[in-house]
Amino acid sequence: MDHWFVHKFGGSSVADAACMRRVASILEADTRPRLAVVLSACRGVTDALLELVQLAEQQSTEVGAGLERLRLRHVGLAEELLDGEPRQAYVERLGRDCADIAGILHTVQLIRSAAVTVRDLVAGFGEIWSTRLFSAYLHARGRRPRVEWIDARDIVTVEWGPLGPGVLWELSRTRTLSALSFEGAATLIITGFIARDAQGLQTTLGRNGSDFSASIFGALLEAAEIHIWTDVDGVLSADPRLVPDSTVIDSLSYNEAMELAYFGAKVLHPQTMAPAIARGIPIWIRNTFAPDHTGTLICEHPTSGPTVKGITSIDRIALLNLEGAGMIGVPGTAHRLFGALRDHGISVILISQGSSEHSICFAIPEQQAGRAEQVLRVSFESELRQGQIQEVAVNRGCSILAVVGDGMAGAHGVAAKVFGALGAAGVNVRAIAQGASERNISVVIDGRQASRALRAVHSGFYLSPHTISIGLIGPGVVGGALLDQMASQAERLMRDSHLDLRVRGVMSSRSMCLADGEIPLSRWREAVKESSEPADLTRFVEHVHADHLPHAVIVDCTASAEVAAGYPAWLAAGIHIVTPNKKANSAELAFLSRLAEARRQGGAHYLYEATVGAGLPVIQTLRDLRETGDRIHRVEGIFSGTLAYLFNTWDGSVPFSSVVRAAKAQGYTEPDPRDDLSGMDVARKLIILGREMGLRLELADVELESLVPDALAGCGPDEFLAHLPEFDAPMLARLESARARSRVLRYVGTLDAAAGQAHVGLLELERSHPFANINLTDNVVRFVTSRYDQNPLIVQGPGAGPAVTAAGVFADLLRVSAYLGAKL
Ligand code: ADP
Ligand code: ASP
Ligand code: MG
């Protein structure tokens, strides 16, 4: 005889008339003769019915209207799907049911309380209405053989126990045989969710119980396959509402599916599988809205897949901790503890006990926390009084995150990866449990961090791209060039490295543009122009540091001290910072200590390669030298592209002031050339390097020779340029005196480690000196170290300009991404 095939359609698959038409087409496309089709109530109906009971208990006047809304919704469906006599019959039955329900609810209103049986009875009407309607509709279409409406209460008999509903198999099987006494082709339309107990009273299989119904019928009918149809493409590697990048899992073992379902993968009811497992029936999870997708296969021996298949979370968990030296070595404490909880119907989700036996901690649903605490205080009353147990601590608002996969057994490094990903995302782990099956690692974390934790671990296992939430402050020449460079690389980074650099905010000095998803990099200029939101640094940073994204980076492309003042707070909150802004690192040492402390506190990265020499590897080189044990004796160089240009091009044939004017016209100087000529910029770079070398230098410690004549320090920029020629003569004298000794003038910064000194000023150098022969605006830095002694290490190249500076910042951004786990 032909095998039965079970199809189950969840509430979302039968939400409205269009959905029902889709379901009918799916069934008609299945040419196998014997189909058992389990349906849920139309989406939201069970919730609505249960709410009516609750309203009745509260004696609300809304009850009647609520019931009428439900009736009308089903009448509407019937009008769309049925005609003539079947429609009339359906609407009449519906009317009678609603009259019955109104009577029941009226009683509840009088008593002000509803017994479980009453609640179950009312809740079950949703499935009766959806299946009656659908079977009449499918019958009328006439494309499936023998459409029969089956009331599961005539068949499925269960007994509720502490572990939920248990099926009375013998009785149910006998009832199946008598209800389905026909042979051959048939299409059974079966009510999900509802059943009867041994006394004949109606009961349910618990919320989301239609999955269980499907599996029970699969077992009773000895079906060949069970197909659970829902609104997603299969079991996903994480809840798609929390991790939008989750992907469909091809296949799962029964055990894996069970763990995922138990730990919150809502797509499957955890009890669903037991009857199917017992008979080895494969279960498919498929999408009603995309029936061509293969879906997920759940079976005994799936084809091997990734080590970790899925990551789930359950919210609203309380963590209880029983602590006391008196428990050490005393047998039976756990027995008493869990026995007491059991006696009060409190189910424990996770247990963790350290081998010291000094404490036992366990997780339970939050709404049972108060009762559990009371139970423990009573059960261990004398131990608490005598101090053998010091405390019963209750921590509400937690979540459990579970990482599931058969492949974890015997694989090394999985736990390290979980904790590494959580650590990098700044998520604190409160308790840990790993079953000896090694199929599941569960951690208890702060509920507010659940979503961020889920995403961090998910991308940690490369189940989804590594997502970094980025906020850029200062979309000027450097910031703009950076955004353009990111735009050009985004696709490649996503493809090759699975790295998702998501710019979620751009802020200028006046306005800011925030995006919940991301600002499209290809048109960031328009997006920024169109946004009219006034700049607000606090709100900007809060937005970028979204709870649901594991990592946040602020890229500060301003030269603002005010923005830099925010760094300590951001780092302490775990926000990473990448910047070419020199203000923070050249501020007073006390501020730097605060930065360092905040970094430690928040576990955040702070990178600033582009503060010196733009994109040239200056800071990283210095760090590498120190960290590999080299000793730095001296660092010197030309650190200002502007001053390099002025002295490279000035040969004395024209006055110095006209070279300055020409450089300004070509955009080689700051708007006010004194910002370059003062040497302050070089001094800042020098102390950044000095501090990197371990020298405790303040800006005031730098011996600085400014090229701005004292007399012109206080005037306006135009006046400055107008009067500069008055100082050409002494400048020319210096040049000529250098030349007389075959030397050139260069503006050089020098750090001397032994003397702990920094000097910035105009030096006379031999023509053969490396600093005497650089191109136009090049920077050059020379490291004299123990290893690079006779022949110092030199880094040289363009040290200014938007493209190279932006590239230096970009490289830092990628470095942070790599620190956070991206495979670059
Ligand atoms: P139905 O109405 O079909 O019974 P449910 O709402 O009960 O559907 O279950 C499907 C929903 O489960 C999906 O829409 C999805 O949002 C959610 N879900 C949670 N975790 C997962 C997961 N790991 N894989 C797939 N779906 C999940
Ligand atoms: N309708 C029931 C519920 O919402 C059962 C189900 O849909 O699986 O819980
Ligand atoms: Mg469901």
Side-chain angles (χ1 to χ4, degrees):
M1 204 163 27
D2 289 307
H3 278 297
W4 286 100
F5 284 79
V6 174
H7 290 283
K8 177 260 169 176
F9 294 87
S12 49
S13 300
V14 290
D16 54 28
C19 287
M20 294 231 183
R21 289 195 190 97
R22 208 171 284 125
V23 172
S25 309
I26 290 174
L27 295 173
E28 287 159 0
D30 188 342
T31 53
R32 292 170 289 207
R34 308 185 99 192
L35 300 186
V37 183
V38 175
L39 297 191
S40 286
C42 303
R43 183 172 56 207
V45 171
T46 314
D47 284 337
L49 286 164
L50 286 169
E51 198 191 322
L52 286 181
V53 178
Q54 207 180 354
L55 286 174
E57 284 179 315
Q58 295 158 0
Q59 300 193 305
S60 159
T61 51
E62 298 295 307
V63 175
L67 183 57
E68 182 59 7
R69 263 199 304 278
L70 274 178
R71 193 185 71 82
L72 288 177
R73 177 169 167 197
H74 287 86
V75 170
L77 284 174
E79 283 170 353
E80 281 202 62
L81 297 171
L82 304 178
D83 286 314
E85 201 278 324
R87 183 204 285 187
Q88 204 185 342
Y90 178 79
V91 173
E92 274 173 24
R93 273 306 281 275
L94 178 69
R96 286 204 296 278
D97 290 343
C98 288
D100 287 348
I101 297 175
I104 297 169
L105 293 177
H106 182 64
T107 315
V108 173
Q109 271 172 325
L110 293 175
I111 307 176
R112 295 194 196 184
S113 144
V116 180
T117 43
V118 170
R119 209 181 300 268
D120 284 354
L121 183 65
V122 174
F125 275 101
E127 270 69 11
I128 294 176
W129 295 335
S130 66
T131 48
R132 265 210 214 113
L133 177 72
F134 184 76
S135 71
Y137 171 62
L138 192 68
H139 179 78
R141 283 169 64 116
R143 282 173 235 157
R144 275 293 317 175
R146 187 168 186 159
V147 178
E148 295 268 348
W149 181 70
I150 303 286
D151 184 341
R153 291 170 298 189
D154 296 340
I155 296 177
V156 181
T157 318
V158 299
E159 203 164 42
W160 271 82
L163 296 179
V167 180
L168 302 176
W169 287 105
E170 281 310 310
L171 206 54
S172 301
R173 199 162 288 118
T174 317
R175 291 184 169 163
T176 313
L177 291 175
S178 63
L180 306 177
S181 55
F182 51 85
E183 289 188 357
T187 312
L188 312 178
I189 307 300
I190 305 169
T191 54
F193 184 50
I194 48 178
R196 223 179 270 290
D197 67 14
Q199 285 73 47
L201 291 176
Q202 182 189 313
T203 181
T204 72
L205 300 177
R207 292 311 307 271
N208 277 303
S210 299
D211 293 337
F212 195 21
S213 306
S215 153
I216 293 171
F217 275 94
L220 290 172
L221 299 170
E222 293 174 359
E225 287 174 11
I226 298 170
H227 294 243
I228 308 270
W229 295 83
T230 179
D231 60 352
V232 280
D233 283 343
V235 182
L236 299 166
S237 49
D239 186 334
R241 286 161 300 191
L242 301 174
V243 183
D245 304 309
S246 52
T247 50
V248 179
I249 305 170
D250 294 338
S251 59
L252 286 166
S253 71
Y254 288 128
N255 285 327
E256 287 173 328
M258 197 89 103
E259 296 274 354
L260 284 176
Y262 178 73
F263 281 100
K266 211 196 127 220
V267 66
L268 257 190
H269 187 294
Q271 263 152 344
T272 309
M273 279 156 292
I277 297 172
R279 286 158 192 80
I281 307 172
I283 303 173
W284 287 90
I285 309 292
R286 301 183 62 183
N287 190 348
T288 308
F289 303 87
D292 294 339
H293 289 219
T294 355
T296 301
L297 170 63
I298 304 171
C299 60
E300 184 75 53
H301 297 295
T303 50
S304 64
T307 317
V308 165
K309 294 274 184 74
I311 298 150
T312 58
S313 65
I314 335 182
D315 297 333
R316 285 186 286 281
I317 293 292
L319 190 66
L320 275 79
N321 195 28
L322 192 66
E323 201 167 305
M327 298 193 299
I328 299 174
V330 180
T333 312
H335 172 81
R336 277 174 60 200
L337 167 60
F338 295 113
L341 292 173
R342 196 207 81 98
D343 292 345
H344 290 81
I346 297 166
S347 72
V348 177
I349 304 173
L350 171 151
I351 303 169
S352 169
Q353 178 180 17
S355 52
S356 74
E357 296 184 60
H358 180 247
S359 70
I360 303 181
C361 100
F362 58 94
I364 58 172
E366 195 177 68
Q367 81 264 22
Q368 298 186 323
R371 196 142 46 92
E373 181 179 1
Q374 209 181 356
V375 167
L376 294 192
R377 291 203 184 280
V378 172
S379 306
F380 292 94
E381 198 263 340
S382 70
E383 285 87 346
L384 279 162
R385 200 160 16 87
Q386 289 159 15
Q388 287 147 320
I389 289 178
Q390 274 102 43
E391 74 161 341
V392 178
V394 182
N395 239 310
R396 289 182 171 78
C398 298
S399 288
I400 297 181
L401 181 124
V403 179
V404 174
D406 283 343
M408 280 161 40
H412 54 263
V414 178
K417 226 176 201 177
V418 174
F419 297 114
L422 290 173
V427 176
N428 180 31
V429 173
R430 297 204 170 149
I432 304 168
Q434 173 178 12
S437 70
E438 289 190 56
R439 190 176 293 122
N440 175 335
I441 297 176
S442 310
V443 296
V444 181
I445 56 176
D446 184 334
R448 284 165 303 185
Q449 294 188 309
S451 175
R452 132 193 244 97
L454 206 55
R455 290 178 190 218
V457 177
H458 196 262
S459 52
F461 282 96
Y462 304 104
L463 296 172
S464 60
H466 234 85
T467 305
I468 314 245
S469 170
I470 296 171
L472 183 135
I473 309 177
V477 268
V478 172
L482 174 62
L483 289 170
D484 290 339
Q485 289 177 5
M486 287 169 68
S488 74
Q489 296 306 306
E491 204 184 301
R492 186 189 58 80
L493 288 168
M494 179 68 107
R495 190 186 57 232
D496 296 350
S497 305
H498 241 51
L499 175 61
D500 178 6
L501 295 178
R502 210 175 279 186
V503 177
R504 300 180 61 253
V506 174
M507 183 171 107
S508 69
S509 50
R510 289 171 308 279
S511 68
M512 63 184 182
C513 168
L514 305 179
D516 275 332
E518 65 186 312
I519 297 171
L521 283 175
S522 53
R523 52 177 303 279
W524 69 265
R525 280 189 183 80
E526 290 85 334
V528 168
K529 214 173 281 161
E530 285 157 14
S531 82
S532 54
E533 211 169 333
D536 175 343
L537 193 55
T538 311
R539 227 169 74 62
F540 180 82
V541 174
E542 256 166 34
H543 174 84
V544 174
H545 191 217
D547 268 345
H548 63 273
L549 292 173
H551 310 294
V553 180
I554 295 284
V555 182
D556 171 17
C557 290
T558 69
S560 150
E562 199 187 323
V563 175
Y567 293 2
W570 306 341
L571 291 169
I575 302 170
H576 312 287
I577 299 174
V578 168
T579 187
N581 180 357
K582 290 180 277 289
K583 293 290 155 50
N585 277 22
S586 58
E588 65 280 17
L589 281 165
F591 182 77
L592 246 70
S593 320
R594 276 178 58 210
L595 271 185
E597 177 50 35
R599 269 164 89 173
R600 254 193 305 280
Q601 195 186 330
H605 298 285
Y606 169 46
L607 295 182
Y608 42 84
E609 177 64 85
T611 51
V612 180
L616 297 179
V618 178
I619 290 173
Q620 192 58 39
T621 302
L622 190 54
R623 250 187 226 162
D624 288 348
L625 291 172
R626 289 194 77 202
E627 278 166 17
T628 56
D630 203 351
R631 290 193 45 183
I632 320 280
H633 303 307
R634 219 177 146 77
V635 176
E636 54 194 349
I638 294 181
F639 296 99
S640 156
T642 311
L643 292 167
Y645 177 81
L646 291 178
F647 290 101
N648 282 341
T649 47
W650 184 43
D651 60 4
S653 62
V654 292
F656 184 68
S657 59
S658 25
V659 184
V660 172
R661 207 182 279 272
K664 176 173 155 59
Q666 281 176 276
Y668 286 160
T669 70
E670 293 295 320
D672 184 345
R674 281 174 299 186
D675 290 344
D676 300 304
L677 293 170
S678 71
M680 257 331 262
D681 178 62
V682 177
R684 284 189 190 280
K685 290 173 178 165
L686 212 56
I687 64 163
I688 292 175
L689 288 181
R691 290 168 173 182
E692 206 64 43
M693 285 161 60
L695 303 179
R696 296 188 56 77
L697 285 173
E698 293 285 10
L699 208 47
D701 299 331
V702 180
E703 290 170 39
L704 175 67
E705 179 192 356
S706 167
L707 298 183
V708 179
D710 286 346
L712 299 184
C715 58
D718 293 336
E719 213 179 322
F720 166 73
L721 280 177
H723 288 283
L724 193 58
E726 294 160 22
F727 300 86
D728 278 336
M731 209 51 186
L732 186 62
R734 286 188 75 170
L735 180 65
E736 280 172 349
S737 107
R739 281 187 162 172
R741 278 174 285 153
S742 285
R743 294 185 169 196
V744 296
L745 288 181
R746 291 293 182 264
Y747 197 78
V748 175
T750 311
L751 279 162
D752 183 329
Q757 273 175 357
H759 176 270
V760 174
L762 209 49
L763 298 187
E764 286 184 11
L765 303 176
E766 303 282 348
R767 286 190 193 284
S768 60
H769 193 281
F771 298 177
N773 300 291
I774 55 173
N775 293 319
L776 295 176
T777 61
D778 273 8
N779 278 193
V780 56
V781 188
R782 191 158 83 143
F783 300 93
V784 183
T785 73
S786 296
R787 289 184 196 138
Y788 295 93
D789 181 12
Q790 297 307 315
N791 190 9
L793 173 65
I794 290 183
V795 175
Q796 177 185 341
V804 291
T805 310
V809 182
F810 197 4
D812 272 352
L813 186 57
L814 294 180
R815 201 164 287 137
V816 170
S817 309
Y819 293 155
L820 296 175
K823 255 191 197 156
L824 283 160

